[in-house]
Amino acid sequence: MFKISIFPYVLAAALPLQASALGLEEAVRDGLRASSDLELMRAKKTEAGALLDQAKGNRLPRLAVKSAYTRGDEPVYAFASAMKQGTFSMASMATINDPEPVGNYQASLEAGVPLFTGLAISRGIEMREAGAKALDAASARAEAGVRFSLVHQWLTALLRRHLLDTVEAAVADSEKELRTADNLREKGMVLGSDYYAAEAILAGLKAYRSQWRRAYDLERERLNIMLGRPKDTAFEPAGRLDEADFGVGVQNEYLAGALSRRADLKAAAEAEKAAVAWASLQKNSILPVVEAFGVLESNSASLSGFKSATLYGLRLTLPIGDPGWSARSRAARAGLRAQEAETAGLKRRAAAEVASAWQSYMGAVESARDAALTHEKARQSLELFRPLYRQGRQSVMEVLRAEQAVLEAKAAYYENLFKINLFYAQLRLASETLDDKAVSEIAAATAAR
């Protein structure tokens, strides 16, 4: 009874888990939520905001509370402490050269208000504002990049599933043909050499199956990792590669949009502003710094009877003979030129990315038509071969060669369908329009029908 009752549980544990369906939009949504790169960008944006607040705070008055206890018999210290405490008398003069040790409790409240800082505060704020805006743009670009990576990985898994399904069908059909050929061989209607050559072709198809099964498992593991879940989580990409028309227009439309919308170009423009502010800051570092200050101080020989005094005025600091000023100014100007060159390079790179994605998309559309025709002709050839060899008018080896040709033609067709969707996503990324709407377009084009 024990063995009979436990068997269903053992059997259930041995069965593979039901693979869930994973749609493109769900994969992108979960992947964006799990991305450590985007979490890093969010932390950097928070840091940049805090640094901007710090820079703005430099305009405000500075307040400081100080306290100290000192004791000594140094003549100047003893004389000054007695004066501050209000305990100085003519008797103090008698011991001025050899005073008794004096203790002093001191407390003070000091305030400083910057009146002019050689533009250091305003330039510092400009730099932090530009840095915060640059990080906002860089974060948007990073999100688009992660979105594209997720689309790419999901499409790759979908392609691998199609290839595996295709080779599974090809192997099954070829095995069926070989069984028929084996019966015909016994009747002398199929040559042994042709039969063994056909078996070699079947072995090659099985090798494809093994490779493509492993490749499919690998792509699903990679997608699981990107989604932040265990790599062996069972799922099937919910979709189907099919011919799609995304209505892609002329290349110049995408190029113009890229130059006006690209977040990395906006980030570079803000970096230029920061470089300009930094160059100005270094140039003006020889200007004077003016500060209004005030001090309220109290002193006492004990913790009671404090005597207070005030001191206030203006303080000017003028750096004279700064040996590093010239070198800092040159370095800042060079940094600005470097940033301008980087921005120009980014514009050229954006143009190249748009051109590459547009041409690749158009090429994939054209190749898909040719691949579809190739597959259809290969399929027709296979259908004609099958009855001929059963009649002894054609070799089974040619039938399996035709099976292999159909497999390779269909695989090429699927790869071109994959490229159409991938290069469309790449074109939208290059033109900074790979948003949730674009992902929905691709999801609709690959929806199972």
Side-chain angles (χ1 to χ4, degrees):
M1 289 296 295
F2 176 77
K3 291 183 179 180
I4 295 176
S5 62
I6 200 173
F7 177 74
Y9 301 100
V10 174
L11 178 62
L15 292 175
L17 295 176
Q18 181 72 26
S20 61
L22 179 65
L24 174 59
E25 292 177 287
E26 180 186 356
V28 170
R29 183 174 59 253
D30 293 349
L32 290 174
R33 189 182 302 117
S35 173
S36 56
D37 291 339
L38 297 186
E39 182 62 30
L40 173 63
M41 294 305 299
R42 285 190 288 269
K44 287 186 175 181
K45 286 173 62 177
T46 301
E47 179 186 20
L51 292 174
L52 176 57
D53 291 340
Q54 178 187 1
K56 291 179 177 178
N58 290 333
R59 291 171 170 168
L60 301 176
R62 301 290 182 193
L63 293 175
V65 174
K66 297 181 180 180
S67 64
Y69 172 76
T70 55
R71 183 173 179 81
D73 59 2
E74 195 274 327
V76 175
Y77 163 78
F79 185 84
S81 296
M83 295 284 288
K84 291 179 179 180
Q85 294 168 2
T87 59
F88 185 81
S89 65
M90 293 303 294
S92 303
M93 296 295 292
T95 59
I96 189 170
N97 289 323
D98 188 21
E100 293 293 325
V102 175
N104 183 55
Y105 293 93
Q106 182 188 53
S108 65
L109 175 64
E110 300 181 8
V113 181
L115 301 180
F116 180 74
T117 61
L119 306 179
I121 293 178
S122 59
R123 295 294 180 265
I125 293 174
E126 290 175 12
M127 289 172 56
R128 294 305 185 187
E129 285 178 340
K133 291 178 181 178
L135 273 173
D136 286 340
S139 179
R141 187 63 182 168
E143 182 175 332
V146 172
R147 184 178 285 108
F148 173 77
S149 297
L150 291 163
V151 171
H152 185 185
Q153 191 58 47
W154 185 88
L155 287 172
T156 303
L158 181 60
L159 170 63
R160 289 299 180 184
R161 192 200 73 193
H162 280 313
L163 294 181
L164 181 58
D165 291 345
T166 302
V167 76
E168 291 277 16
V171 168
D173 288 345
S174 297
E175 288 177 335
K176 179 180 178 182
E177 298 297 348
L178 271 179
R179 286 194 295 269
T180 303
D182 191 39
N183 294 330
L184 294 174
R185 183 166 60 97
E186 293 177 357
K187 299 176 183 179
M189 298 178 64
V190 174
L191 295 176
S193 59
D194 287 354
Y195 180 81
Y196 294 125
E199 281 194 324
I201 295 172
L202 176 59
L205 295 180
K206 289 182 177 179
Y208 275 135
R209 182 177 62 182
S210 298
Q211 294 170 9
W212 291 356
R213 181 183 293 120
R214 288 291 182 184
Y216 182 41
D217 291 342
L218 174 60
E219 299 306 337
R220 286 190 294 177
E221 286 185 11
R222 285 175 172 170
L223 185 53
N224 277 327
I225 292 170
M226 294 176 72
L227 300 183
R229 58 191 194 181
K231 65 182 180 66
D232 56 351
T233 302
F235 78 91
E236 297 287 339
R240 177 176 179 79
L241 291 171
D242 207 342
E243 294 186 23
D245 181 8
F246 291 106
V248 172
V250 298
Q251 183 183 142
N252 285 341
E253 293 178 0
Y254 292 92
L255 177 59
L259 295 179
S260 64
R261 287 190 297 263
R262 283 279 290 247
D264 52 349
L265 295 181
K266 293 179 181 179
E270 294 300 330
E272 277 191 36
K273 293 179 182 178
V276 169
W278 176 249
S280 175
L281 180 63
Q282 298 310 312
K283 177 182 177 181
N284 295 317
S285 63
I286 59 174
L287 294 178
V289 175
V290 181
E291 178 188 34
F293 72 93
V295 179
L296 174 62
E297 183 180 306
S298 62
N299 294 271
S300 176
S302 62
L303 291 176
S304 62
F306 281 89
K307 182 180 179 181
S308 63
T310 59
L311 179 67
Y312 52 87
L314 295 175
R315 186 161 42 217
L316 182 146
T317 304
L318 179 62
I320 298 176
D322 183 354
W325 174 81
S326 178
R328 291 198 309 272
S329 298
R330 292 198 310 273
R333 290 195 299 270
L336 175 57
R337 291 195 300 272
Q339 185 57 54
E340 291 171 344
E342 182 176 346
T343 302
L346 284 173
K347 290 180 179 178
R348 289 192 291 270
R349 191 182 310 162
E353 289 175 2
V354 169
S356 175
W358 190 89
Q359 292 288 0
S360 296
Y361 174 82
M362 293 302 177
V365 171
E366 294 173 2
S367 297
R369 300 191 191 109
D370 295 336
L373 180 60
T374 302
H375 172 253
E376 179 60 23
K377 296 302 180 182
R379 187 190 64 78
Q380 291 175 359
S381 174
L382 174 62
E383 293 302 321
L384 292 173
F385 268 123
R386 281 173 174 160
L388 291 176
Y389 101 88
R390 291 186 181 125
Q391 299 169 8
R393 297 165 58 191
Q394 191 58 262
S395 168
V396 67
M397 177 181 62
E398 297 300 330
V399 175
L400 263 69
R401 280 179 178 171
E403 281 278 9
Q404 184 177 12
V406 171
L407 170 65
E408 293 173 351
K410 195 169 186 180
Y413 177 59
Y414 278 135
E415 287 174 0
N416 278 283
L417 297 181
F418 161 78
K419 289 177 180 178
I420 289 174
N421 290 277
L422 177 64
F423 290 140
Y424 178 68
Q426 191 172 21
L427 182 60
R428 295 295 294 265
L429 174 66
S431 58
E432 204 65 74
T433 56
L434 185 60
D435 51 15
D436 291 337
K437 182 179 178 182
V439 172
S440 297
E441 283 187 68
I442 300 171
T446 56
R449 295 174 178 83

